[in-house]
Amino acid sequence: SVYVSGRVHGDIHADRLVELATDSIVEGNVYYNVLQVEKGAQVNGNLVQGKQVQEVSKAVEQSDQSGGSGQASAGLRIAPKQA
């Protein structure tokens, strides 16, 4: 799971849950299976859910291996929320 509170510049990738707190501002895409968004959170990018997450990740890996621009893979991977 990923919990976001504050500003993030870049993509967020999560295999499961992404939680966006009220003060969250994401300047990038969010890849998730389950999304929880509190009132006031902002995402300035695309929301990519479920099966699409694996398809996009595979395309990014292929782009990286073939010397692509890397633009899609330049995202930020947020550390899991501590229990």
Side-chain angles (χ1 to χ4, degrees):
S1 295
V2 175
Y3 180 80
V4 178
S5 179
R7 184 177 292 268
V8 175
H9 292 277
D11 294 348
I12 297 172
H13 297 261
D15 292 334
R16 294 186 188 175
L17 172 68
V18 173
E19 296 180 62
L20 302 178
T22 300
D23 64 340
S24 299
I25 300 173
V26 179
E27 300 285 345
N29 301 319
V30 179
Y31 301 88
Y32 66 95
N33 280 311
V34 176
L35 180 63
Q36 179 177 325
V37 182
E38 293 181 6
K39 184 177 181 179
Q42 299 176 36
V43 176
N44 299 317
N46 295 309
L47 300 175
V48 183
Q49 193 272 334
K51 184 178 178 187
Q52 295 175 348
V53 172
Q54 289 90 18
E55 293 170 358
V56 170
S57 294
K58 185 179 273 188
V60 168
E61 286 176 16
Q62 290 173 349
S63 174
D64 288 347
Q65 291 172 358
S66 65
S69 69
Q71 183 177 7
S73 65
L76 174 67
R77 294 186 186 269
I78 305 296
K81 179 180 176 182
Q82 300 297 319

